[in-house]
């Protein structure tokens, strides 16, 4: 993980991101995802959403934990996908990432490569110092 992060230029989203992210597939149900989360046991800090990915691990959108807990167990995940939050490009500057977090009040955001493959996520903890000094 450290090696992957160090492969990106300083002051980029790639350096800020954490590869520890929970992903789910769109072709499952709430019940399947909840069972998966129970088996996993723990969630990464500041997990407010799970990220929905394709079979090729391409970012499709996100699902709020609240939606999982309040929907019927048989609800298909593809009906709950929120595709409003754009993913951050891994090469985006840290200042631009901080601006987006500040402008949109994000707690976390997905990070993707040029092929829209989900690489990780950035949380508010990762950018708070940058926001503070802008």
């Amino acid at each position: 993980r450290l090696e992957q992060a160090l492969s990106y230029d300083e002051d980029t989203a790639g350096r800020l991101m954490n590869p520890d992210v929970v992903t789910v597939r769109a072709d499952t149900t709430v019940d399947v995802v909840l069972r998966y989360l129970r088996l996993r046991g723990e969630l990464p800090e500041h997990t407010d959403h799970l990220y929905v990915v394709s079979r090729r691990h391409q970012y499709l959108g996100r699902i709020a934990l609240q939606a999982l807990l309040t929907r019927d167990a048989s609800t298909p995940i593809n009906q709950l996908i929120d595709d409003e939050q754009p993913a951050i490009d891994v090469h985006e500057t840290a200042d631009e990432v901080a601006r987006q977090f500040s402008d949109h009040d994000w707690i976390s955001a997905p990070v993707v490569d040029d092929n829209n493959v989900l690489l990780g996520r950035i949380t508010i903890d990762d950018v708070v110092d940058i926001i503070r000094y802008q």
Side-chain angles (χ1 to χ4, degrees), residues 16-117:
L16 290 173
M17 77 173 179
N18 182 337
D20 191 13
V21 60
V22 180
T23 61
V24 297
R25 298 260 305 280
D27 59 355
T28 61
T29 63
V30 167
D31 181 52
V32 170
V33 171
L34 291 175
R35 281 188 282 140
Y36 164 69
L37 293 176
R38 284 185 201 105
L39 285 172
R40 183 181 166 99
E42 289 186 16
L43 294 175
E45 281 190 48
H46 302 292
T47 298
D48 58 333
H49 290 86
L50 305 182
Y51 296 115
V52 183
V53 295
S54 69
R55 289 185 188 273
R56 293 184 172 155
H57 213 67
Q58 292 174 311
Y59 175 70
L60 300 174
R62 64 188 186 160
I63 298 177
L65 289 178
Q66 174 185 340
L68 286 174
L69 298 174
T70 59
R71 296 303 193 286
D72 186 81
S74 63
T75 304
I77 292 300
N78 62 11
Q79 289 182 9
L80 301 177
I81 296 174
D82 169 9
D83 59 4
E84 294 296 311
Q85 182 182 30
I88 295 173
D89 183 272
V90 70
H91 303 293
E92 190 72 61
T93 66
D95 286 340
E96 178 59 22
V97 170
R99 186 193 62 74
Q100 289 183 45
F101 267 77
S102 180
D103 289 352
H104 302 289
D105 295 326
W106 290 339
I107 294 173
S108 66
V111 178
V112 297
D113 68 9
D114 295 336
N115 296 314
N116 201 41
V117 172

